[in-house]
Amino acid sequence: MYLQIYEYIKKEILSGRLSHPEKLPSARALAANLQVSRSTVDTAYEQLVAEGYIDAKEKRGFFVNPITHTQNFTRSQGHISVPDRTLPDQKKMIYDFDPDAIDTLHFPYSVWKSIGRNQLDNPDNFISGDHFGEYGLRLAISSYLHGSRGVNCTPESIIVGAGLDHLLQMLCVLFERKAVIAMEDPGYRNARQVLLSSGYTVQDIPLSQGALDASSLIHSPADICYVTPSHQFPLGSVLSISRRQALLDWAYEKENRYIIEDDHDSEFRYKGKPIPALQSLDHGQRVIYIGTFSKAVSPAIRTGYMVLPAPLLSLYKEKCGSYACPVSRLNQAILTDFIKDGFFEKHLNRMRKIYKAKHDYMLEQLHSHFPDGLLDISADNAGLYIILHYHGPLTDEAIIEQAEKNGIRLRSLKGYYANLPAAYRPAYLLGFANLEEKEIRDGIALLAEKVLIV
Amino acid sequence: MYLQIYEYIKKEILSGRLSHPEKLPSARALAANLQVSRSTVDTAYEQLVAEGYIDAKEKRGFFVNPITHTQNFTRSQGHISVPDRTLPDQKKMIYDFDPDAIDTLHFPYSVWKSIGRNQLDNPDNFISGDHFGEYGLRLAISSYLHGSRGVNCTPESIIVGAGLDHLLQMLCVLFERKAVIAMEDPGYRNARQVLLSSGYTVQDIPLSQGALDASSLIHSPADICYVTPSHQFPLGSVLSISRRQALLDWAYEKENRYIIEDDHDSEFRYKGKPIPALQSLDHGQRVIYIGTFSKAVSPAIRTGYMVLPAPLLSLYKEKCGSYACPVSRLNQAILTDFIKDGFFEKHLNRMRKIYKAKHDYMLEQLHSHFPDGLLDISADNAGLYIILHYHGPLTDEAIIEQAEKNGIRLRSLKGYYANLPAAYRPAYLLGFANLEEKEIRDGIALLAEKVLIV
């Protein structure tokens, strides 16, 4: 009831029908007039006072405050015309060789769920936590990184964040605004976008023989270098030990030079052992190591981490110490148990076998459908996609279009370049992670018969 | 076994005992020599080739690459000396009147858990989602904001983020680097820290009569203003309708002027109805509305949202469209059901009553222990703390120290000022949200007897 009175008077004031310095009827009089209780009017008047529409003057009553009258106060509200939905409305394809996809069929859901159920019962997951990420999670990450990737770290040097985008944004707070950041070209476009949007200048460094060559950095203004040493994204090469040393030497040459090591899918290597992290060779505190659980667990859990060298760690504490960790405590707790109890390691070992089988099968199908001269394959033996280099007469556009007509989505390598080299020839990233053998077989057959016609 | 061979040769190369252009023994010879299988040596050599330690030359064998020798390769690794833990090691206090705390006792855990269990079974929560936040969650937030806060929004104008720090960081990407941002003084220090760390100039605007006065902005270089209109943080005042209009007029005066409305604990008001959001008055697309679920649900879920005016929404799509939403799908899904099924509204209504009872009880205890002249109380009737203004002879330092000695943690209002006014007198934020009646009673009694001695 009081709300009606409040709304009525508010509208009268905003429309100008009641204006400064008019006096409102006394609460007693209005109550009698409207046949409501005195306290109802009091409440309405109090709310109007609280919001500044009227003033209560002791012993004199209530007066309208000076307020601009808005003609359109009662206009229809709630609709701002903006395009609908944010996900691009992609046509559903029958064969989607998505290089970013992961296998979601073989995840140990029952284990994850059972840990999740336990953690839903843990009241600690409802209170504010450690700004750098829970210590238990950082401990689990640190021992994984040390054991599997050779990374020099302690839980204290790890910061938990929400995926690569977010971690890069946090890093950006630590670098000077005028910093120039060197990136591999072709390279990881999302990271490039984050750096550009954060106001940095990005220097795109063309790769030499598929990998970054530190000698191209020497004459660049860059003092920070973003690199994917264990599995160049997207070309798939390994940065050799001598180039790693040269890159570190470049960093050691000048103060405040840093290398951002994005170790994006180092977990999956199908030949030999994993390539150790570049950070493991750094004895001068110049490598920032970034990794996520997006490929190894799921991108939907939005959890990643960075290992900061000591000088950046101090700076981070000073500048970002008050920022809360963006990952919910529930998620952190589930992930911690998942790693600590050995399920993560077990899952990785299992997925390495499953991905290797899909990888081998895809290569087998490619080799059986295409004659040697028409195609080359690279980026194999690691990661969740291979690259198909096409040497035939068709153009890139014609291939993509023909593929779409046949229900095949292809990702052109072109899209990963900032500056396309003159010698560029059509090439495609073919992901296999979320495809069944049948889909790989039929998709490749269709590709051979209808698209890259053999 | 192959790892031993690999490690041995790697060490020999890194130490310089094997160096460029030396030739390694043939795989066959080494296998015979070590009495291992030929394939074991092949695997070790392949790994060394992959990492660039050696090169395979067709028909000639394996040769060591030129590599810098590191003397200290075998040094002890894994320990970087940095201070332990990131949370300040606070002394445990018996009475902690924490203004940032929330009541965690009355949260409907069983509902949350049961939704959580269901959502753990939903495979959608394992795949990448909408970059702006799931549409269902944005729909739920939009209808809540529209209904309860009068905010003009659609799901399309909402961006889900991980708490206020993170949302502000995203906003920072949209403003020009040289922008000056006006903030209330006293104000929200964490937000100020984010803006400073992101490289902005912050102009601290002293409040007039406890609230921001747009006339102080007119002569400032600021084009962006961060404000807490519904419940000034920390002073607790409501920005009156005429000051709201003046603030909007300031924004309309020049292109690219924006107001960031931080609606931090608008859910809890104990007298009258909630104050409508400033954004509800904006007919010129100048107010960015930010809110979180930290107070209303839990800070541990790290979920907040912002409503962007149309021009900033387009800019956001362009600059940050590729950034993934930092909140895990599981968390988003639980929260969505919690709101959609009416539990959020119910919880808010219940907590409003519980907080009001604690608030009233604290005021009652303060009034019963302290004579009128010694203390003033402000910031009451809303939020999760009140402010105690002390008019006695003791200094701030003496009060804080004496309180700590008695096991009471007090937060001085001083800490929220960028520039302390000359007329500043000791005042303290007393939170009541996570305290039981007994704790409030005994804590206030102790405060009266041993600290602010009456």
Side-chain angles (χ1 to χ4, degrees), chain B residues 4 110 120 126 170 179 240 319 334 347 350 382 385:
Chain B
Q4 286 180 28
S110 59
L120 277 168
F126 266 81
M170 298 308 294
S240 71
K319 295 189 99 174
I334 299 177
H347 174 57
R350 183 165 176 233
Y385 63 87

Side-chain angles (χ1 to χ4, degrees), chain B residues 223-237:
Chain B
D223 275 329
I224 291 157
C225 178
Y226 185 100
V227 65
T228 50
S230 297
H231 188 226
Q232 203 280 330
F233 185 80
L235 296 185
S237 60

Side-chain angles (χ1 to χ4, degrees), chain B residues 119-164:
Chain B
Q119 288 297 349
L120 277 168
D121 280 329
N122 181 353
D124 283 354
N125 292 327
F126 266 81
I127 54 177
S128 291
D130 193 315
H131 281 191
F132 282 21
E134 293 311 301
Y135 196 80
L137 178 57
R138 292 191 280 141
L139 194 65
I141 292 172
S142 137
S143 96
Y144 165 70
L145 288 182
H146 195 56
S148 297
R149 311 287 308 119
V151 171
N152 277 318
C153 61
T154 62
E156 286 76 15
S157 58
I158 291 176
I159 287 157
V160 176
L164 188 95

